[in-house]
Amino acid sequence: MTLDASTNLATAADTGSAAPASSSAARDKAPSRVSRAAASLRASAILRIAADIRELTAAGRSICNLTVGDFNPREFPAPAELVSGIQEALRAGETNYPPSSGLPELRDAVAAFYGRRLGLELKAENVVIASGARPAIYAAYRTILDPGDVVVYSTPSWNNADYCQIAGATPRPVVCPVGDAFLPTRAALESPVRGARLLVLNSPLNPAGTAFDVDTLRDICQLVVAENATRGANERPLFLLYDQVYWMLTLGDTRHVHPSIVCPDVEPYVITVDAISKAFAATGVRVGWATGPADVMRHMADFLSHVGAWAPRAAQVATAGLLGDDESIDTYHQSMHAAIAARLGAIHSACGDMRAAGLPVGSLPPIATIYGSVQLELDGRLTKDGRPLHGSEDARRYLLQEAGVAIIPFQAFGVPNDGGWFRCSIGAVSLPALQSGLARMRAAIE
Ligand SMILES: Cc1ncc(COP(=O)(O)O)c(C=O)c1O
């Protein structure tokens, strides 16, 4: 991958902060010019890593970039039906403002799609369209939370600390161990959810690539219902924000589970967030949505209308067409799943081989998303020039310099003591480039 390709992907990908890392020093010097919220937004660790990659690529190195939560369209093109649908809609004059809740045909299409694929019973009033999952998440935070309200979320996870910051909410992160697949359990959440206003869950999970099973999710949903039963009529409830942007990217026998299906009593409290971004390798098309109780959706649409975060009208028309076309979706996902499985499988088997050869490497079996979880226990190991490595940030830099392989420590996802776990994203690499990167990584670890 070239510098420019990786740079473009990295700046637009799953980073939490829009500002480049280099601006953070300047920002620190002049906090009085901007609001406290703006001044305290942290430069994303992923952007800092992207800057490192840029530097090396500028010096002529070819980097196997496993950092970006995005797709290289040459490896993972968006569905042809989506692309031609957008072109046709533009030609047909779909160029004006869409309604602030989204085009009626897309809201209907999302409701019908969820009915067919997830068994949910929704109407258009339960759906609000946005320009991707991010504005939907933002609107959910702003709709549910007042400043100071408590948000419970598991770590490692994607960007919840930043959304808390923006909403002025109080974060209550719950660290989840590898033994629980990096996902929360009812036992871990039992005490944190007391008095909280929002519980955020993400499955399949960015960064670990793991997913809830029915029992774990049902237990958590029952906890939400039980917590709400303790609240008086005048108290605001605990809502559950369920981010399922990777749900169509489950592999093999893995089945996605939804709160309202495993525990119907939780439905009045569930806000689901989703998008075409990951499921259809269409991160730049910017169509997402939230579903949930009609009153909450109305308020979220009000927030979005002021931000102007509507999905482009032509993209909405095309997405409505795509979501109604089960055959095209199934055909598309057949090849996309195979391409993901080949790449994540290559990472898992390379790690297995390294482990079998006595190297301090582990990995989780790939079951969903575009992310592989790899553990590198390199603390205290010596580099070629005799320097001992300390911590996963050090290991990350070593692998980048020595092997030209770029990966992200779970530290970047809110776990300070990450045990040497890293996220490897495969959306932007070809299989041969990945295989040669893995071989270089092995040589660097050996
Ligand atoms: C868990 C999760 N939710 C939401 C998003 C953002 O999706 P979108 O590009 O549709 O805003 C991402 C992007 O990486 C993600 O990983």
Side-chain angles (χ1 to χ4, degrees), residues 6 34 43 47 104 111 233:
S6 62
V34 298
L47 282 173

Side-chain angles (χ1 to χ4, degrees), residues 98-224:
S100 61
S101 300
L103 289 180
E105 65 256 44
L106 179 54
R107 296 167 77 197
D108 284 340
V110 169
F113 185 62
Y114 275 12
R116 294 195 306 279
R117 300 275 173 143
L118 293 172
L120 293 170
E121 285 177 29
L122 302 174
K123 298 192 184 114
E125 65 183 19
N126 303 114
V127 182
V128 59
I129 307 301
S131 56
R134 271 168 240 239
I137 296 170
Y138 172 75
Y141 267 73
R142 295 309 305 263
T143 299
I144 299 304
L145 302 166
D146 279 325
D149 284 348
V150 170
V151 179
V152 178
Y153 56 87
S154 61
T155 60
S157 67
W158 178 81
N159 280 6
N160 285 297
D162 303 293
Y163 284 106
C164 283
Q165 186 77 47
I166 292 170
T170 304
R172 196 176 278 168
V174 175
V175 179
C176 301
V178 60
D180 292 333
F182 295 111
L183 286 160
T185 59
R186 174 174 180 147
L189 295 173
E190 196 96 38
S191 145
V193 297
R194 256 175 236 140
R197 199 74 74 203
L198 187 63
L199 168 64
V200 185
L201 302 177
N202 167 221
S203 180
L205 178 66
N206 178 8
T210 51
F212 277 126
D213 58 42
V214 172
D215 292 340
T216 309
L217 183 61
R218 183 189 296 123
D219 287 351
I220 294 172
C221 293
Q222 286 171 350
L223 173 66
V224 173

